[in-house]
Amino acid sequence: MTPIDADADADANADAGRPAPATAEQALDEALALVSRAAPATTGAPGGTGRAIPWLRAREIAAYAGSGVRARTHRASLADALGEVLAAPLDALTDLPSFDTSAMDGWAVSGPGPWTLRPGGGVLAGSDRPAPLADGQAVRIATGARIPSDTTAVIRSEHCHESGSQLFAERPVSTGQDIRPRGQECRSGDLLLPAGSLVTPAVLGLAAAAGYDELPTRRRPRVEILVLGDELLTGGLPHDGLIRDALSPMLGPWLTRLGAEVTGTRRLGDDPAGAEALFEAVTGSEADLIVTTGGTASGPVDHVHPVLERAGAELLVDGVAVRPGHPMLLARLGDRADGRHLVGLPGNPLAAVSGLLTLADPLLRALAGRRRRPRYTAPVRDDVPGHPDDTRLVPVLLSDEHAVPLRYHGPAMLRGVAAADALAVVPPHGARAGQDLEILDLPWVAGGCFT
């Protein structure tokens, strides 16, 4: 696996026949300028531009669209903060450890040996401050227990033996051995983690050790899912031109793994009532992101473009040069700081997955304040056919040496991606066996949010 260096974006833009933008903001401005100058769509889709933008540019626009949104922060208990992002630096509230402690079960000793065993019980973790040791004295001590004053070292139980009332070391004893001194890990006020750090299980443990009961975090982006279509069944076998709704069971968990708080999933028809319900959601939903499926093309019942135009939405991406998933879109529903967006996914299942990884993933990461995923490549094992003009996203299995392309990768198929670890980014005209391709890890393989 090979990381992608900083010049990769420039190469991709050069391949597209344009100079690389200096910043993500410039990328968005250029893309919006292209949209505004584009000729009216020849497909007849109201509000559409008829211009698909390069796949990498679409991801940059999605990331930038979320980066300028006003952060929604709160104080979350440790039980609720997992998977969120720190809204402020995590500073140490105390020294860690806050007192000298024993790193091992054994004996605390003072001065050179042999040592006289102090009568009475040993020193246990959580007990009151122990009495100081006299020179030449030893007392049994447990891991994590407070070190008595005037202790020279801790000797592990397996490195010493008792004989009568004395303790003998079986190897040289160095001053301070197996003692964790106060402040060894940090001092009060030290920066433990910067703002923007993902709250992982290890972060929760660190915060608890440092004395925190709650953390200042950015709230998860709220997402409402609208599944469009009259041909979808919620149960039983497909029949009479009707098919099972494969997207409703898939999208909620997928978006949750991408760090979203899914507020609900609704199904809307293709009739005028469905179009009106879509308009009401676009204009009235409190979600940070609305995700729709289907209706993004130019058919007689494809309502997404007309509804967005009626709502005064700003199209940031209207078609991406990628297969599957070409008719995906991204729209801003309010002002930039307000941060409400809509991602329109195609209705075919694998095409919808393509839209999730192309637009929803970078947008949600930016809205949540999370860092972008590291980009990397892997050599593909077999030849992979390509589209003449567009990028292809192909399900692959990852081995120690190769990305192995899988069959069943048509726009309506989920069989390939259900068995996959990732999608490989195949350039126009395809790739040869051994060629390095960018890899998009699926969120449950890459370690998405911990929910």
Side-chain angles (χ1 to χ4, degrees), residues 158-171:
E158 61 268 27
H159 295 164
C160 58
H161 67 274
E162 301 172 54
S163 178
S165 62
Q166 288 192 303
L167 181 75
F168 294 86
E170 297 174 353
R171 58 181 64 187

Side-chain angles (χ1 to χ4, degrees), residues 95-246:
D95 297 344
L96 285 182
S98 54
F99 47 82
D100 294 347
T101 62
S102 176
M104 293 289 171
D105 292 334
W107 294 85
V109 299
S110 179
W115 301 271
T116 301
L117 304 183
R118 188 165 77 181
V123 183
L124 301 178
S127 60
D128 294 336
R129 182 187 297 273
L133 281 177
D135 187 41
Q137 204 171 43
V139 65
R140 189 177 291 278
I141 194 166
T143 301
R146 186 192 296 262
I147 295 291
S149 298
D150 300 323
T151 296
T152 302
V154 170
I155 306 175
R156 303 183 189 191
S157 297
E158 61 268 27
H159 295 164
C160 58
H161 67 274
E162 301 172 54
S163 178
S165 62
Q166 288 192 303
L167 181 75
F168 294 86
E170 297 174 353
R171 58 181 64 187
V173 176
S174 58
T175 300
Q177 75 177 31
D178 287 325
I179 294 174
R180 292 189 64 213
R182 176 174 181 165
Q184 181 185 54
E185 186 168 1
C186 64
R187 288 293 185 179
S188 180
D190 284 355
L191 173 66
L192 300 178
L193 289 169
S197 299
L198 180 66
V199 180
T200 65
V203 171
L204 291 178
L206 175 63
Y212 284 86
D213 298 317
E214 56 183 19
L215 295 172
T217 59
R218 292 183 63 156
R219 291 183 181 273
R220 297 173 185 270
R222 298 162 299 186
V223 177
E224 183 177 8
I225 301 169
L226 303 176
V227 178
L228 313 181
D230 290 332
E231 75 280 13
L232 303 176
L233 295 169
T234 58
L237 294 174
H239 63 85
D240 301 327
L242 302 177
I243 60 174
R244 280 296 298 270
D245 174 11

Side-chain angles (χ1 to χ4, degrees), residues 334-362:
D335 61 50
R336 185 158 188 258
D338 179 52
R340 296 183 62 246
H341 292 83
L342 180 143
V343 168
L345 305 177
N348 278 323
L350 188 57
V353 168
S354 175
L356 282 174
L357 296 180
T358 301
L359 297 178
D361 184 14

Side-chain angles (χ1 to χ4, degrees), residues 399-410:
S399 71
D400 291 339
E401 298 179 350
H402 297 100
V404 181
L406 297 173
R407 298 172 58 195
Y408 308 108
H409 46 64

